Amino acid sequence: MSSKTMLGMLFVMVIMFAVASFRQQIGGALDFIFQYIAFGGEYPVLTLVIAGTIMITLGTVIRGFLQNPIKMARNQQIQSEFNKELRQARIENNLFKLKKLEEMQPQIMAMSMQQSTDQMKVMPITMLFVIPIYAWVWFFLSTGTVDEPGKYFCAGNEIFDTWGYVHVEMPWTAIDLNGVLFMNFPVWIFIYTMISLPIGQIENRLIRLYLLKKELKKLDLEVKRAEIE
């Protein structure tokens, strides 16, 4: 692992610890912006959907323009085809082909490592924007205490039940967004993640498509210029 990658990981950890330590303050500060999607705490699931969309969009756009999605897709395809051929050679016991592929393996591994390094370089920048949004969602769902109630969920809110509980009706049952599923994993983070993942995949493909069209247009212009010359 390169020193730059290690520094990137260290920076991400610093951001995470800083946000975890000051999430109340960070969430409160960001509420100046995100209060418009809070809807006064009346529609917490909708708020999670919008916040998740904003978070994943920021992350996807940053990665899309700081990295080269076309190059990444090409490398992934090369690695996939290589692994496919390697498996096939082992199944067929084709020693000659297997030897050739094993000679190429260091290059493929180097390509994979470089791709991981490139992703780690972008991660600190992405986390700088993404993790504070988690702090705001925590602030949004916080019920506070008797002396210092939460801004959106307190005794005057219909969704609020008792201290620490934010109940919402789902098609199958009522759930507490501040509850835990397993290993103290909050329900709201699970919902937040389930919302973000498919949206991120769609946006990532759209960005790749946009950049691919841009690259093809550039190549087309170069070909036409070469023909004229």
Side-chain angles (χ1 to χ4, degrees):
M1 186 179 294
S2 67
S3 58
K4 290 183 179 180
T5 302
M6 293 180 67
L7 285 173
M9 292 178 65
L10 179 62
F11 187 61
V12 170
M13 292 178 65
V14 169
I15 295 172
M16 292 177 66
F17 280 119
V19 172
S21 301
F22 301 99
R23 58 186 179 181
Q24 179 71 25
Q25 294 84 348
I26 294 172
L30 287 177
D31 190 59
F32 177 77
I33 300 171
F34 289 108
Q35 61 180 320
Y36 301 104
I37 65 170
F39 307 112
E42 294 296 320
Y43 310 103
V45 176
L46 178 60
T47 297
L48 287 180
V49 170
I50 298 174
T53 303
I54 293 171
M55 181 200 71
I56 202 66
T57 300
L58 279 172
T60 303
V61 170
I62 291 170
R63 286 193 303 271
F65 288 97
L66 291 183
Q67 292 179 322
N68 188 336
I70 297 175
K71 181 181 177 182
M72 289 179 62
R74 177 177 174 274
N75 290 344
Q76 288 171 359
Q77 184 64 30
I78 291 172
Q79 292 171 36
S80 176
E81 290 296 327
F82 176 83
N83 291 331
K84 181 180 177 181
E85 291 295 327
L86 187 61
R87 284 194 302 269
Q88 190 65 30
R90 285 172 176 167
I91 292 171
E92 296 174 354
N93 198 26
N94 189 332
L95 299 180
F96 177 77
K97 186 177 181 180
L98 194 59
K99 183 180 178 182
K100 290 292 184 182
L101 290 171
E102 286 177 348
E103 289 174 356
M104 294 173 59
Q105 202 163 21
Q107 300 174 21
I108 301 298
M109 291 179 65
M111 183 188 298
S112 178
M113 286 295 295
Q114 183 60 45
Q115 187 166 310
S116 299
T117 301
D118 292 341
Q119 290 174 346
M120 287 302 302
K121 288 178 181 177
V122 177
M123 186 180 292
I125 301 172
T126 306
M127 292 298 102
L128 191 62
F129 291 93
V130 168
I131 294 180
I133 299 179
Y134 275 97
W136 178 80
V137 175
W138 178 88
F139 173 84
F140 166 71
L141 292 173
S142 175
T143 57
T145 62
V146 176
D147 296 327
E148 296 183 11
K151 178 177 179 180
Y152 296 102
F153 297 100
C154 55
N157 190 298
E158 294 179 0
I159 298 174
F160 177 85
D161 187 2
T162 55
W163 294 111
Y165 293 87
V166 179
H167 286 150
V168 293
E169 292 291 335
M170 302 300 282
W172 53 93
T173 185
I175 62 171
D176 171 27
L177 292 178
N178 285 331
V180 294
L181 294 175
F182 55 91
M183 297 178 66
N184 293 325
F185 194 78
V187 171
W188 70 265
I189 290 185
F190 175 77
I191 295 175
Y192 201 57
T193 304
M194 291 301 101
I195 293 166
S196 303
L197 286 176
I199 294 173
Q201 290 297 319
I202 294 170
E203 290 179 347
N204 191 41
R205 291 182 181 277
L206 289 174
I207 288 176
R208 284 187 180 184
L209 181 61
Y210 166 76
L211 293 176
L212 179 60
K213 287 183 176 180
K214 187 177 179 181
E215 188 69 20
L216 289 174
K217 187 176 180 180
K218 181 181 176 181
L219 290 173
D220 187 49
L221 289 173
E222 289 178 357
V223 170
K224 289 180 179 178
R225 191 180 297 114
E227 289 176 350
I228 293 172
E229 294 176 354

